Amino acid sequence: ITQQLVRERLLDPALVQDPSRRFERKVEEIIQSIRLTQALSKQDIITAYLNTNYYGNNDYGVKAAARDYFGVTDLSKLTLAQAALLAGIPQSPVAYDLVRNAVDQPDGTLVVPPDSAIVQRRNLVLDLMSQGRTPLTGNQYSAADFEAAKNEPVVIAAQTATRWIAPHFVWAVRDELASRLCG
């Protein structure tokens, strides 16, 4: 995760995109990762990673994804199932985009079908968590909690139309401003 964070946020984009400089990029990633690990705690690194990662649906950062997918602004209010869904998205943000996978219901709600790939991924994450991969929550959840979360329907918050006419242009301008102003 540290190397991914370094690659995404600290390395020169020209270095990252040039396949002929792969060895140079890997060496730079390792050096910067060591420096980052010495400067920040593991908690700070994972927080930075989660706050800059792409979650589909034009969302960067876990808080933006929680707000847009579930209408939740406080991450502590996410259900176990919702947290597992968000944990599974970074593996393939486009394929696991909840809005793209959702189906309109007659009552106007968006629901992701239980047999979709993202729901299967959520259930895998929940299985891994039930096997003890919960360092921050410890024994907070029981086996019954994990099973209940696997059966929780995936209902998406009402979506608003994108306010941007050309989001990729907006992102390019944002990145250019960040590089000019922040170095």
Short mmCIF file of all heavy atoms in Angstrom, two decimals, residues 1 17-18 20 22 29 41 46 48-49 69-70 74 77 96 100 107 109 116 122 124 132 135 138 169:
data_model
loop_
_atom_site.label_atom_id
_atom_site.label_comp_id
_atom_site.label_asym_id
_atom_site.label_seq_id
_atom_site.Cartn_x
_atom_site.Cartn_y
_atom_site.Cartn_z
N ILE A 1 0.84 -1.19 0.00
CA ILE A 1 0.00 0.00 0.00
C ILE A 1 0.88 1.25 0.00
O ILE A 1 0.56 2.21 -0.68
CB ILE A 1 -0.97 -0.02 1.21
CG1 ILE A 1 -2.05 -1.08 0.96
CG2 ILE A 1 -1.59 1.33 1.43
CD1 ILE A 1 -3.04 -1.24 2.07
N GLN A 17 4.55 6.65 -16.07
CA GLN A 17 3.93 6.25 -17.34
C GLN A 17 4.91 5.71 -18.37
O GLN A 17 4.49 5.11 -19.35
CB GLN A 17 3.17 7.44 -17.92
CG GLN A 17 1.99 7.83 -17.08
CD GLN A 17 1.33 9.11 -17.55
OE1 GLN A 17 1.76 9.73 -18.51
NE2 GLN A 17 0.26 9.50 -16.86
N ASP A 18 6.20 5.87 -18.16
CA ASP A 18 7.19 5.44 -19.15
C ASP A 18 7.62 3.99 -18.87
O ASP A 18 8.33 3.73 -17.90
CB ASP A 18 8.40 6.37 -19.09
CG ASP A 18 9.39 6.10 -20.21
OD1 ASP A 18 9.25 5.09 -20.92
OD2 ASP A 18 10.31 6.93 -20.36
N SER A 20 9.77 2.17 -20.29
CA SER A 20 11.20 1.93 -20.41
C SER A 20 11.96 2.34 -19.15
O SER A 20 13.13 2.00 -18.99
CB SER A 20 11.77 2.69 -21.61
OG SER A 20 11.68 4.09 -21.40
N ARG A 22 10.91 1.52 -16.01
CA ARG A 22 10.29 0.73 -14.94
C ARG A 22 11.26 0.47 -13.78
O ARG A 22 10.88 0.60 -12.62
CB ARG A 22 9.79 -0.59 -15.51
CG ARG A 22 9.05 -1.43 -14.50
CD ARG A 22 8.37 -2.61 -15.16
NE ARG A 22 7.58 -3.32 -14.17
CZ ARG A 22 7.85 -4.55 -13.76
NH1 ARG A 22 8.85 -5.20 -14.28
NH2 ARG A 22 7.10 -5.12 -12.85
N GLU A 29 10.34 4.19 -6.03
CA GLU A 29 9.22 3.79 -5.16
C GLU A 29 9.73 3.23 -3.84
O GLU A 29 9.22 3.57 -2.77
CB GLU A 29 8.38 2.70 -5.84
CG GLU A 29 7.31 3.19 -6.73
CD GLU A 29 6.54 2.04 -7.37
OE1 GLU A 29 6.48 0.94 -6.81
OE2 GLU A 29 6.00 2.26 -8.47
N SER A 41 3.14 7.04 10.55
CA SER A 41 2.72 5.76 11.13
C SER A 41 1.97 4.96 10.08
O SER A 41 1.52 5.50 9.08
CB SER A 41 1.81 6.00 12.34
OG SER A 41 0.57 6.53 11.91
N ILE A 46 -2.19 4.37 5.74
CA ILE A 46 -3.44 3.77 5.25
C ILE A 46 -4.53 4.84 5.12
O ILE A 46 -5.32 4.80 4.18
CB ILE A 46 -3.91 2.58 6.13
CG1 ILE A 46 -5.01 1.79 5.41
CG2 ILE A 46 -4.41 3.01 7.47
CD1 ILE A 46 -4.57 0.97 4.28
N ALA A 48 -4.02 8.04 4.36
CA ALA A 48 -3.71 8.78 3.13
C ALA A 48 -4.09 7.97 1.90
O ALA A 48 -4.64 8.51 0.94
CB ALA A 48 -2.22 9.14 3.10
N TYR A 49 -3.82 6.68 1.93
CA TYR A 49 -4.15 5.81 0.80
C TYR A 49 -5.66 5.78 0.58
O TYR A 49 -6.13 5.96 -0.55
CB TYR A 49 -3.61 4.41 1.08
CG TYR A 49 -3.99 3.38 0.04
CD1 TYR A 49 -3.33 3.33 -1.17
CD2 TYR A 49 -4.99 2.46 0.29
CE1 TYR A 49 -3.66 2.38 -2.13
CE2 TYR A 49 -5.33 1.51 -0.66
CZ TYR A 49 -4.66 1.47 -1.87
OH TYR A 49 -5.00 0.54 -2.81
N TYR A 69 -22.36 6.80 -2.43
CA TYR A 69 -23.00 5.49 -2.56
C TYR A 69 -24.09 5.25 -1.52
O TYR A 69 -25.11 4.65 -1.80
CB TYR A 69 -21.97 4.36 -2.45
CG TYR A 69 -21.09 4.20 -3.67
CD1 TYR A 69 -19.73 3.97 -3.54
CD2 TYR A 69 -21.61 4.25 -4.97
CE1 TYR A 69 -18.92 3.78 -4.64
CE2 TYR A 69 -20.79 4.08 -6.07
CZ TYR A 69 -19.45 3.84 -5.91
OH TYR A 69 -18.65 3.65 -7.00
N PHE A 70 -23.84 5.70 -0.28
CA PHE A 70 -24.75 5.36 0.81
C PHE A 70 -25.38 6.55 1.51
O PHE A 70 -26.20 6.38 2.41
CB PHE A 70 -24.02 4.49 1.85
CG PHE A 70 -23.35 3.29 1.27
CD1 PHE A 70 -21.98 3.13 1.35
CD2 PHE A 70 -24.09 2.31 0.61
CE1 PHE A 70 -21.36 2.02 0.79
CE2 PHE A 70 -23.48 1.20 0.06
CZ PHE A 70 -22.10 1.06 0.15
N ASP A 74 -20.49 10.44 7.90
CA ASP A 74 -19.63 10.04 9.01
C ASP A 74 -19.29 8.57 8.84
O ASP A 74 -20.17 7.70 8.92
CB ASP A 74 -20.37 10.29 10.34
CG ASP A 74 -19.55 9.92 11.56
OD1 ASP A 74 -18.40 9.45 11.42
OD2 ASP A 74 -20.08 10.10 12.67
N LYS A 77 -20.61 5.67 10.84
CA LYS A 77 -22.03 5.29 10.69
C LYS A 77 -22.25 4.23 9.61
O LYS A 77 -23.37 3.78 9.39
CB LYS A 77 -22.88 6.52 10.35
CG LYS A 77 -22.78 7.64 11.36
CD LYS A 77 -23.42 7.27 12.65
CE LYS A 77 -23.40 8.48 13.58
NZ LYS A 77 -23.39 8.12 14.97
N TYR A 96 -16.37 -2.69 -10.17
CA TYR A 96 -17.12 -2.76 -8.92
C TYR A 96 -17.88 -1.48 -8.60
O TYR A 96 -18.39 -1.32 -7.49
CB TYR A 96 -16.20 -3.12 -7.76
CG TYR A 96 -15.60 -4.49 -7.84
CD1 TYR A 96 -14.36 -4.75 -7.27
CD2 TYR A 96 -16.25 -5.54 -8.45
CE1 TYR A 96 -13.80 -6.02 -7.30
CE2 TYR A 96 -15.70 -6.81 -8.50
CZ TYR A 96 -14.47 -7.04 -7.92
OH TYR A 96 -13.93 -8.30 -7.97
N ARG A 100 -22.99 1.67 -11.38
CA ARG A 100 -23.04 0.94 -12.65
C ARG A 100 -23.66 -0.44 -12.50
O ARG A 100 -24.25 -0.97 -13.42
CB ARG A 100 -21.64 0.78 -13.24
CG ARG A 100 -21.10 2.04 -13.85
CD ARG A 100 -19.79 1.75 -14.53
NE ARG A 100 -19.25 2.97 -15.10
CZ ARG A 100 -18.19 3.01 -15.85
NH1 ARG A 100 -17.54 1.91 -16.15
NH2 ARG A 100 -17.75 4.15 -16.33
N ASP A 107 -39.87 1.27 -7.08
CA ASP A 107 -40.08 2.37 -6.14
C ASP A 107 -39.05 3.49 -6.30
O ASP A 107 -39.03 4.45 -5.53
CB ASP A 107 -40.09 1.86 -4.70
CG ASP A 107 -38.77 1.26 -4.27
OD1 ASP A 107 -37.83 1.20 -5.09
OD2 ASP A 107 -38.66 0.85 -3.10
N THR A 109 -35.68 3.21 -6.07
CA THR A 109 -34.40 2.98 -5.41
C THR A 109 -33.46 2.22 -6.35
O THR A 109 -33.88 1.56 -7.29
CB THR A 109 -34.57 2.17 -4.11
OG1 THR A 109 -35.17 0.91 -4.42
CG2 THR A 109 -35.39 2.92 -3.09
N SER A 116 -24.24 -10.12 -8.21
CA SER A 116 -23.25 -9.31 -8.92
C SER A 116 -21.85 -9.54 -8.36
O SER A 116 -21.68 -9.98 -7.22
CB SER A 116 -23.61 -7.82 -8.84
OG SER A 116 -23.47 -7.38 -7.52
N ARG A 122 -17.80 -8.34 -1.75
CA ARG A 122 -18.13 -7.93 -0.38
C ARG A 122 -18.17 -9.14 0.54
O ARG A 122 -17.63 -9.12 1.64
CB ARG A 122 -19.48 -7.22 -0.34
CG ARG A 122 -19.95 -6.89 1.09
CD ARG A 122 -21.41 -6.67 1.23
NE ARG A 122 -22.19 -7.87 0.97
CZ ARG A 122 -23.51 -7.90 0.95
NH1 ARG A 122 -24.20 -6.80 1.17
NH2 ARG A 122 -24.16 -9.02 0.71
N LEU A 124 -16.67 -11.98 0.17
CA LEU A 124 -15.30 -12.48 0.39
C LEU A 124 -14.60 -11.65 1.45
O LEU A 124 -13.94 -12.18 2.34
CB LEU A 124 -14.52 -12.44 -0.93
CG LEU A 124 -13.03 -12.76 -0.81
CD1 LEU A 124 -12.81 -14.20 -0.34
CD2 LEU A 124 -12.32 -12.51 -2.13
N GLY A 132 -10.58 -13.28 11.23
CA GLY A 132 -9.63 -12.60 12.10
C GLY A 132 -8.88 -11.44 11.50
O GLY A 132 -8.00 -10.89 12.12
N PRO A 135 -7.95 -5.97 12.49
CA PRO A 135 -7.04 -5.44 13.51
C PRO A 135 -7.58 -4.24 14.28
O PRO A 135 -7.27 -4.08 15.45
CB PRO A 135 -5.78 -5.07 12.73
CG PRO A 135 -6.23 -4.93 11.32
CD PRO A 135 -7.40 -5.84 11.15
N GLY A 138 -11.09 -5.70 16.32
CA GLY A 138 -10.89 -6.80 17.25
C GLY A 138 -12.09 -7.73 17.31
O GLY A 138 -12.52 -8.28 16.31
N PHE A 169 -11.62 16.86 -18.04
CA PHE A 169 -10.96 18.15 -18.22
C PHE A 169 -10.77 18.82 -16.86
O PHE A 169 -9.70 19.36 -16.57
CB PHE A 169 -11.78 19.04 -19.15
CG PHE A 169 -11.22 20.43 -19.29
CD1 PHE A 169 -10.09 20.66 -20.07
CD2 PHE A 169 -11.81 21.50 -18.64
CE1 PHE A 169 -9.56 21.94 -20.18
CE2 PHE A 169 -11.29 22.77 -18.75
CZ PHE A 169 -10.16 22.99 -19.54
#
